[in-house]
Structures are given as C-alpha cells and as structure tokens.
Amino acid sequence: MNVKFYIKTVGCQMNVLDSELATADLLQNDCTPAETMDEADIILFNTCSVREHAEEKVYSALGRLRSWKAKHPQGVLGVMGCMAQKDGKLIFRRAPEVNLVLGPGRLNELSDAIARIAKSGTPELLLSSNRLHSGQTAAEVRASFHQYDRPRLLQARDSRYQAMVRIMFGCNKFCTYCIVPSVRGPEQSRPMKEIVQEVKSLVEQGCREVMLLGQTVNNWHVQDESGDYYMADLLERLNDINDLWRIRFVSSYPTGMTNRLLEAVRDLERVMPYLHVPAQHGANSVLKRMKRMYTVEEYRDLLDRIYAIIPGAAVTSDFIVGFCGETEEEYLKTVELVRYGQFKNSFIFKYSPRPGTKSAELYEDDVPEEEKKRRNNDLLAIQTEISQKLNNAFLNQTVSVLVEGPSLLTQKEQMRDAGVSPLPVVSNLETAIQMTGRTPCDRIVVFNGKPSLAGTIQQVQIKEIAPFTLAGELVR
Ligand code: 5AD
Ligand code: SF4
C-alpha cells in the first residue's frame, strides 16, 4: 500500500510543530509524503483561527479541491487545528468535500481516524468540549483536551539542527480578543522529565538549537513530590545537556518575568538573550478592555529590568491596532511604547473580532478598516526605523552565527538551475553560495559560505545592514 499525504500548515509555531508530529505519525503508519496536493490520497489543512483572514483563505483553498475529490473519491480531506475546534460542523456545511474535522485536543486520534474514514467513507468530527458553554466541570473539559505527544522523527522535520519543543499546552488567560484558550484548551505544563528526555532525543538526532513553546511559556510550572519547579529550573536542567548549543523560549507573558528568570537567561550560557514578550497595547484603558493583567508602567519596568539584567538582550513584541474603541489618543500610547521599547522587531496586527471571544461579544468593532490599516502601516514604519537603527550597531562587529542552511533565495536559484532538484542535491554542492543563520539575539545573518557549514557555529563580520537582515563575511 502506498498512501500519500500532504499537509498544508498555516498559523503559529504550535501549528508548525503539530504538523511535524502529524507527519511523524503518518510516516510511522506506512504513508509517504506527496510532492503536490494533487497526487495525495490524504490532504490535511492545519488551520489557524487567530484572525479571520487566515480562515477565509482555508475555506477558499478547500473550495478549490472539488476536482481533487472527484479524482480521489476514497481520499481523506481533513481540517485540523484551531479552526476545526472553533467551526466544527460548520466546516462540513461550507466545504462538503471535507470528511475529517479534528480539533487540536484530539490530534492523538489522527491516524486511527484516517484509517476508519478510508475504510468506511463516513466523515468524522472529533472535537474537545467547549470551554465556555459545554456545561461540564473543569475536570471534564480538561479531560477532553488530549496532549499530542509523538516520538520525534528527523525525517518529519525541515531542519536537522533546529527543533521546537512544546513545554506547555493551552492557555488560561482569556484575553478578550483571543480565541486560543477556547480552541487549545486549559493550560497544562508538561513534566520536566518528559521535556528533558525529548530534548535529549532531539540532540541525539543532531539538533543543536531548541525553541521551547508555550502560550505563556515563562510561567511554566510543575509540582511533584520533590518540589516546585519554575522556568528558571527547567532552563538550568536543559543547559546541562551536552551538544545542545542554543535554547530559546516563546512566547512570554509580561507578568511572571521574575528577576530569577532573567538572571537565568543571563547566566546560562546556552540560553540565548532573546525574549518575545507581547505587550499588545500601550494604553492602560485598552489593556484593561483586552483583560491583559498588567499596566503599561509595569511593562516598561519589565523592559528596564530585561535591558539592565541581560547584556545585549533583544526583545520582540506583538501589538494589536484598531481594537474596539481605540481612539487616536490611545493608539498614540502604543506608538510611545514602541519607541520606548526599542524592540528588535514587532509583529503588528489589525484587530479581527473572533466569534466566541469576549471582545466580539461585549464591544463593537468600531475602528474603520481604513483607519486600522493606517495605524498598522504607521506603526510598522516606526518599528522598521527602530529595527534599522538597532541593527546599525552591528556594522563591522563579528557575531557568532548558528548556520541553518542555504538562504531561501539561493535554494530557489539552485533549484531552477538544476531543473527541480530536491534539497539534498543542493546541500551537496560545495561551491560558495549564500548561507543563512542567526545570532544569539535572533538576528538573521546572510553570508557566502558552503552548505557543509549548516549546523555549525561560525564567526561572521557584518558588512551591510538592512532592517531585518545583516550581511557579512566569514572570519577565517
Ligand atoms: N485580532 C488581531 N490580532 C490578534 N492576535 C490574537 N488575537 C487577535 C485578534 N482577534 C494577535 C496577538 C497575539 C498574536 C499571536 O496574534 O497580538 O499575540
Ligand atoms: Fe491568547 Fe492572551 Fe493566551 Fe496569548 S495569553 S494565547 S493572547 S489568551
């Protein structure tokens, strides 16, 4: 039997990781990856619900698969991820070709569900309980969200040298704009032992850098017979793993960033001086409507502590513009915070009301789209100027780069020159080509080098600066 599968992933790193685990799952169930959707017997869309735009794109992609379905009457067309949990049955109505809808809390049933559908042809809907309206106890709701844990397979990953590791599931914050707590379920920290084992197994596969994932990752906390453990303890433990060179963690919530944690980032040599701490807004009135649990003064104090404690720290943030009732005056407070923050980078989003969230229920989405766009572009321009200015400080400096591989542009050129050569051929070429990697503070560096440098740390002297990239030369 040669069943082929294709997974299309949209959304955040959690989804990228889930797709990797699903790939590993299917590979271990005798399926092989398809090059294109057309030749696949199983197509899975791993979806995102954070903003409406992402959902609409999935619905139109599903609509385009009618001819695929006609060619593959026994095929499995699945929607998994956040949108599956949020829209549920509605997906069958809007996209009748779909025969599997699988929420993030039921991913552990993926391969069994596919086998059943392929055999019986009966569509399946596998969801966790609705956290807000199911009428169940907290324990029952929690039990309906299963953790998706799979052995890590090198063949399922894009990179041999880097991997993501989930250390927390779900979220309990319920920020008023956010759908994540409803679709990803209650917050749960994974046990220390499991995380350490998983990282060790990744290192044995050649992985050199791990990105620890959680919605409020800095607040990872477990309790067992031997005591209470916090993020700083976990980092200490992971820092002792031989042949692991770099550890990062995202995303941090602005509360719970203790000095002990910041000192651990400073003192543990393998923990990189890079923190992603979404502020979301610069006005207390808006932070309150968003139900963020801090004031802008507290967020500024956190920034002061980060920069005072961790030398050379890079901080990035997320901001939402055009949230319900956002006045020009309130927006300007965000501008003020962006200027104060000196962020390496900010991810800026236009508010998008999500059915099932408090803000969609309680407040009017009253900032006109044009105005959202203007604030978005305006803030982006301010941030880009800051990013460029911060990068300028790297001119002529020598930075240590963990090399990831040929830059995307180079890969594309090479593939075009060689017909459609797959990546392994590209990696065998030993001519100098443009390579890419990152500094400890997560800045992207490009330089001319050889593909065999992938997975090593190189010293690169920076010669040219752009807002989001540094270009340099290898130091011999
Ligand atoms: N509208 C716009 N942006 C949102 N985000 C989360 N929910 C929404 C929404 N409803 C943004 C936040 C979050 C990032 C991942 O997406 O900034 O940090
Ligand atoms: Fe969403 Fe807030 Fe949880 Fe982040 S902390 S996932 S924004 S609810």
Side-chain angles (χ1 to χ4, degrees):
M1 189 178 70
N2 184 17
V3 177
K4 292 193 162 185
F5 68 96
Y6 190 99
I7 304 181
K8 169 81 187 157
T9 310
V10 287
C12 66
Q13 284 144 326
M14 281 287 178
N15 269 13
V16 176
L17 176 57
D18 281 338
S19 289
E20 180 201 316
L21 299 180
T23 300
D25 205 340
L26 295 172
L27 288 175
Q28 288 187 317
N29 280 286
D30 294 331
C31 299
T32 52
E35 294 283 328
T36 62
M37 278 197 200
D38 206 44
E39 67 180 52
D41 310 288
I42 301 165
I43 298 180
L44 301 171
F45 280 82
N46 194 2
T47 59
C48 172
S49 271
V50 164
R51 287 168 292 274
E52 189 183 357
H53 182 63
E55 292 187 340
E56 288 312 316
K57 270 169 74 178
V58 170
Y59 278 118
S60 50
L62 290 170
R64 287 193 297 272
L65 285 172
R66 250 164 242 148
S67 60
W68 171 86
K69 187 72 184 188
K71 264 194 271 172
H72 297 81
Q74 310 291 330
V76 176
L77 178 55
V79 174
M80 55 192 227
C82 297
M83 203 179 123
Q85 178 67 30
K86 173 175 157 286
D87 284 2
K89 272 196 288 228
L90 174 68
I91 297 175
F92 292 132
R93 255 179 280 142
R94 285 192 64 178
E97 289 77 17
V98 171
N99 51 13
L100 171 63
V101 173
L102 185 71
R106 302 286 295 269
L107 276 172
N108 57 330
E109 294 166 67
L110 176 69
S111 44
D112 289 346
I114 288 176
R116 284 194 303 267
I117 297 167
K119 208 162 157 200
S120 69
T122 314
E124 294 207 19
L125 174 71
L126 300 169
L127 303 179
S128 303
S129 305
N130 186 317
R131 276 187 91 178
L132 300 175
H133 306 291
S134 66
Q136 292 177 316
T137 65
E140 286 165 340
V141 169
R142 181 179 293 254
S144 77
F145 283 89
H146 301 270
Q147 303 193 354
Y148 193 39
D149 245 338
R150 303 272 324 158
R152 304 299 294 263
L153 282 193
L154 182 57
Q155 309 91 284
R157 276 209 304 284
D158 290 337
S159 163
R160 169 184 288 269
Y161 311 106
Q162 292 166 303
M164 292 180 261
V165 174
R166 183 158 24 218
I167 67 166
M168 277 168 99
F169 289 83
C171 184
N172 283 349
K173 290 277 189 265
F174 284 100
C175 302
T176 56
Y177 52 81
C178 186
I179 194 74
V180 169
S182 301
V183 293
R184 290 246 169 213
E187 179 189 297
Q188 298 174 62
S189 292
R190 274 180 88 196
M192 170 110 82
K193 218 162 92 194
E194 259 179 55
I195 299 168
V196 173
Q197 264 165 7
E198 185 163 325
V199 173
K200 280 186 176 161
S201 81
L202 287 163
V203 171
E204 275 162 23
Q205 293 171 5
C207 178
R208 296 288 170 255
E209 173 170 12
V210 291
M211 173 94 89
L212 309 175
L213 300 186
Q215 304 297 345
T216 57
V217 73
N218 54 318
N219 292 319
W220 178 88
H221 172 222
V222 293
Q223 218 170 14
D224 62 25
E225 340 48 81
S226 61
D228 266 38
Y229 299 96
Y230 294 90
M231 191 58 183
D233 301 305
L234 177 64
L235 293 174
E236 268 173 28
R237 192 71 72 86
L238 296 175
N239 193 64
D240 285 339
I241 297 178
N242 283 335
D243 296 326
L244 175 65
W245 298 338
R246 291 184 170 185
I247 303 166
R248 303 181 194 278
F249 54 98
V250 293
S251 296
S252 290
Y253 190 82
T255 65
M257 287 291 252
T258 58
N259 282 357
R260 177 168 176 239
L261 175 57
L262 301 182
E263 283 157 11
V265 175
R266 177 193 64 198
D267 297 336
L268 299 171
E269 53 178 354
R270 292 169 181 172
V271 179
M272 295 296 109
Y274 163 73
L275 296 168
H276 179 56
V277 199
Q280 310 297 1
H281 210 276
N284 284 330
S285 46
V286 180
L287 288 173
K288 207 163 176 184
R289 292 203 289 283
M290 290 178 163
K291 200 162 127 337
R292 300 288 285 181
M293 307 298 219
Y294 50 87
T295 61
V296 68
E297 290 75 21
E298 285 162 341
Y299 188 88
R300 282 179 188 232
D301 171 66
L302 168 62
L303 288 170
D304 295 346
R305 283 189 296 123
I306 294 174
Y307 292 131
I309 293 176
I310 310 170
V315 184
T316 56
S317 181
D318 293 348
F319 288 97
I320 297 176
V321 295
F323 186 65
C324 313
E326 185 191 63
T327 61
E328 179 67 14
E329 208 183 345
E330 285 169 332
Y331 164 68
L332 290 173
K333 298 265 188 198
T334 293
V335 172
E336 222 177 279
L337 182 59
V338 167
R339 290 196 196 283
Y340 186 85
Q342 296 295 300
F343 302 108
K344 180 192 77 137
N345 191 5
S346 290
F347 301 92
I348 300 160
F349 305 102
K350 291 178 288 177
Y351 171 64
S352 163
R354 310 290 38 233
T357 60
K358 278 279 168 226
S359 65
E361 225 171 78
L362 296 177
Y363 311 121
E364 201 187 333
D365 174 26
D366 54 358
V367 177
E369 182 58 27
E370 274 311 299
E371 187 53 27
K372 285 182 186 172
K373 241 188 232 161
R374 185 193 66 82
R375 291 177 190 176
N376 189 338
N377 293 342
D378 181 55
L379 198 59
L380 200 58
I382 293 166
Q383 176 60 55
T384 304
E385 211 176 283
I386 294 167
S387 301
Q388 170 84 49
K389 194 199 76 198
L390 293 174
N391 275 359
N392 284 343
F394 285 85
L395 195 62
N396 294 323
Q397 302 280 318
T398 296
V399 291
S400 147
V401 176
L402 175 53
V403 185
E404 295 170 14
S407 77
L408 271 184
L409 195 66
T410 306
Q411 284 184 23
K412 273 193 200 144
E413 282 166 5
Q414 302 262 328
M415 285 166 96
R416 193 194 51 215
D417 292 349
V420 264
S421 66
L423 283 184
V425 175
V426 175
S427 327
N428 285 338
L429 292 177
E430 281 300 344
T431 47
I433 57 171
Q434 194 175 63
M435 300 291 288
T436 178
R438 279 170 200 260
T439 64
C441 58
D442 206 48
R443 286 182 163 83
I444 298 170
V445 176
V446 296
F447 62 96
N448 284 336
K450 292 183 175 185
S452 57
L453 294 179
T456 65
I457 290 187
Q458 297 294 326
Q459 303 305 310
V460 177
Q461 190 178 28
I462 301 307
K463 300 286 184 188
E464 267 178 72
I465 308 283
F468 305 111
T469 333
L470 309 173
E473 286 169 10
L474 274 175
V475 177
R476 300 289 161 188

